[in-house]
Amino acid sequence: MKAVAFLPILLIFIAASGATIGTFLILTNQKNLVKVYINIIYNTNEPYREILSTLFLSGVYRTISISDYYEIEEDMKKFIINEIDKTLFKPKCFRIMKEEKILIENPTECKNADYNAKIPIFTPYNKNKNKVEDLYFSYIRSE
Amino acid sequence: MKGDITFFTVVEGLLVVGIVAYLVYLTVYARMIVQTIVEEENRERNALNFANALISHEKIVYEKEGVRYRGILNASKLDKLFHKSNDGLRNPEEFKNVILNPLHKSGKLSREQIDLGYSQTVNIIHIIDFDRCNERECVVWSGVILPVNTLNDYTQDHPVYKFFDCLTRSFDGNWLRPTATCAGFAATGGVIGSLGGPIGALIGAGAGCLFGFLSNLFSIAEVQVCMDRSGDIKNLYISETITKRQGLPVNIIYDDGTIHKGRVIVGFIAWL
């Protein structure tokens, strides 16, 4: 008996609720707007400029270009590390990669770098022929 | 009996609670729209754009066989355009007299000298040769790009003239203040730490500098007084590009063909 009596009450209640909600939404038609402000200071193209200016120094481009065939000498690695440390104000770490190969990393395990650049570099491929490969430069700035 | 808690009473209660929760959900959360507004900091962006344009400008870049090399600066051209300091502007008096003093014309540039710049903005440029920057010497080219067509327009009546004149007069040459207020200075060490003076303080300054360049060389009250005396300079804005060590790595090529690494740092003072 109680179940039979409860059912119409429930239906009436649901219908009333639906009518109230629908009327409320139609009448107000308001949207709750939450604004999220994100203020961006765009990066310079510092990583791109840094790797370019380093490549322009004597012997650096050639050394990196032929690194598939000749390992980069320790003195050259020290020179490059020193030059990058100077103009990037001693970054926490940086990494130079050609395609998949890590050429220079200082110190080791420089992952999740927030500054990145990718540039094309000519590398010797066959007799009198070059191919274009990707050179990656990434670093984490010191704060 | 009346007042007994039955199974259906519990179900009724749960339904009411559910409907109320559903009502709240519909009226509040289901119609909530999240709007993300991305704003760029235009003024800082302008400083960075300026630096990028500057390193391509024919007045300073190296040219060979009609080709201009972007980012490779010709030392001879820099000598002609900017004030060259072999001491990295470590001497406070030199900084005061060269950069601030409106009477000193060397390194002061109008649109006639270099056709770059924003209106109602003064650009301060430092180009540092890091291969010639150590404890003994530090080669820095400095310039101030003024919002005037010719230097003849930069007279005592010009608000920027009045502003810089006022700053020059209140300058006390105390580098300890910017150094002390910039927490990042001590941490940079090495080459940067050895620069000392304003350049060292400016470059070395990290996130600790809230107000940037001028407000660390001068108190806020001093800057405010000079704004008032200038007449037209209101709502002064000093870019953070210097204190955040922004700017761009470049090469500097000398007449004998040697190539050094350097950095162009551009800051600006803007007003409304």
Side-chain angles (χ1 to χ4, degrees):
Chain A
M1 282 295 288
K2 278 188 176 179
V4 174
F6 173 74
L7 192 59
I9 294 171
L10 177 64
L11 291 173
I12 291 167
F13 190 87
I14 292 172
S17 301
T20 307
I21 294 166
T23 308
F24 175 77
L25 294 177
I26 290 167
L27 288 176
T28 58
N29 195 28
Q30 300 266 333
K31 295 174 182 176
N32 297 302
L33 186 65
V34 176
K35 291 185 177 178
V36 179
Y37 285 94
I38 301 174
N39 200 332
I40 294 177
I41 297 176
Y42 281 94
N43 269 332
T44 65
N45 57 352
E46 183 184 72
Y48 177 74
R49 287 247 36 93
E50 175 61 30
I51 189 65
L52 275 187
S53 62
T54 304
L55 285 175
F56 204 79
L57 298 174
S58 179
V60 176
Y61 192 103
R62 180 178 168 278
T63 302
I64 288 179
S65 173
I66 61 173
S67 59
D68 286 346
Y69 309 99
Y70 302 96
E71 283 295 317
I72 301 175
E73 293 178 359
E74 281 306 309
D75 285 350
M76 178 55 87
K77 281 187 180 178
K78 284 179 185 171
F79 172 72
I80 293 171
I81 290 169
N82 184 45
E83 291 295 329
I84 289 174
D85 275 352
K86 267 194 293 192
T87 37
L88 287 184
F89 312 114
K90 293 188 184 297
K92 283 182 183 171
C93 67
F94 72 87
R95 173 190 278 179
I96 298 175
M97 292 177 66
K98 187 150 71 73
E99 298 291 340
E100 304 293 324
K101 184 183 178 185
I102 297 173
L103 301 181
I104 300 172
E105 195 173 28
N106 182 52
T108 55
E109 296 295 311
C110 188
K111 293 176 180 173
N112 304 320
D114 45 2
Y115 288 84
N116 301 283
K118 172 188 165 186
I119 62 167
I121 186 168
F122 286 108
T123 57
Y125 173 59
N126 207 337
K127 191 176 181 182
N128 297 327
K129 285 184 179 175
N130 287 326
K131 67 175 177 178
V132 178
E133 290 189 317
D134 292 327
L135 187 70
Y136 297 91
F137 177 56
S138 54
Y139 59 93
I140 300 173
R141 245 173 174 254
S142 58
E143 294 300 336
Chain B
M1 285 180 64
K2 193 176 181 182
D4 283 353
I5 298 174
T6 64
F7 172 74
F8 292 105
T9 311
V10 174
V11 171
E12 279 178 32
L14 288 173
L15 279 171
V16 170
V17 170
I19 289 167
V20 169
Y22 184 61
L23 185 68
V24 171
Y25 169 77
L26 280 179
T27 52
V28 179
Y29 297 107
R31 300 188 61 77
M32 180 182 288
I33 296 171
V34 177
Q35 181 180 347
T36 306
I37 299 171
V38 179
E39 286 186 341
E40 66 172 304
E41 181 46 87
N42 284 323
R43 292 169 296 193
E44 298 298 341
R45 182 63 183 159
N46 288 345
L48 302 178
N49 284 343
F50 185 93
N52 275 291
L54 185 70
I55 63 168
S56 300
H57 200 281
E58 61 179 322
K59 290 283 181 74
I60 65 171
V61 298
Y62 171 68
E63 289 184 66
K64 186 179 179 183
E65 297 171 355
V67 177
R68 290 178 192 150
Y69 288 81
R70 172 176 159 80
I72 300 172
L73 311 184
N74 185 324
S76 296
K77 288 184 177 180
L78 297 179
D79 289 343
K80 289 175 187 168
L81 204 60
F82 298 111
H83 170 82
K84 183 181 181 183
S85 168
N86 290 310
D87 196 30
L89 293 173
R90 287 178 177 128
N91 181 351
E93 284 302 309
E94 185 186 10
F95 182 76
K96 170 188 168 186
N97 291 327
V98 171
I99 300 297
L100 296 180
N101 187 357
L103 292 172
H104 186 90
K105 298 299 181 187
S106 171
K108 300 288 191 306
L109 305 168
S110 68
R111 297 286 188 271
E112 193 175 42
Q113 276 85 36
I114 190 162
D115 52 347
L116 276 179
Y118 296 99
S119 61
Q120 293 186 300
T121 298
V122 172
N123 284 100
I124 297 176
I125 297 164
H126 296 298
I127 300 168
I128 305 164
D129 182 344
F130 280 118
D131 289 317
R132 292 179 65 190
C133 195
N134 48 49
E135 290 79 3
R136 295 182 302 281
E137 66 164 358
C138 189
V139 174
V140 175
W141 290 271
S142 293
V144 180
I145 299 183
L146 300 160
V148 292
N149 290 326
T150 70
L151 287 180
N152 292 332
D153 299 330
Y154 192 52
T155 61
Q156 292 181 7
D157 298 331
H158 198 281
V160 176
Y161 188 105
K162 290 179 190 173
F163 179 69
F164 276 103
D165 189 45
C166 174
L167 287 182
T168 306
R169 292 175 195 278
S170 63
F171 185 82
D172 58 11
N174 180 13
W175 298 127
L176 288 177
R177 181 163 50 191
T179 305
T181 50
C182 297
F185 178 68
T188 52
V191 174
I192 308 308
S194 71
L195 293 177
I199 300 297
L202 299 182
I203 299 170
C209 292
L210 293 178
F211 277 91
F213 169 42
L214 283 178
S215 54
N216 281 299
L217 292 177
F218 300 93
S219 69
I220 295 171
E222 284 174 311
V223 173
Q224 187 60 52
V225 166
C226 290
M227 284 168 62
D228 294 341
R229 288 188 183 170
S230 72
D232 290 344
I233 296 181
K234 315 286 184 193
N235 301 321
L236 191 74
Y237 178 80
I238 301 162
S239 69
E240 297 178 354
T241 46
I242 288 180
T243 52
K244 298 287 187 189
R245 294 176 290 152
Q246 294 290 358
L248 301 173
V250 290
N251 293 111
I252 298 164
I253 188 164
Y254 287 85
D255 288 342
D256 63 1
T258 55
I259 300 170
H260 292 178
K261 276 188 86 178
R263 196 174 183 93
V264 172
I265 294 180
V266 173
F268 68 80
I269 304 165
W271 63 94
L272 298 175

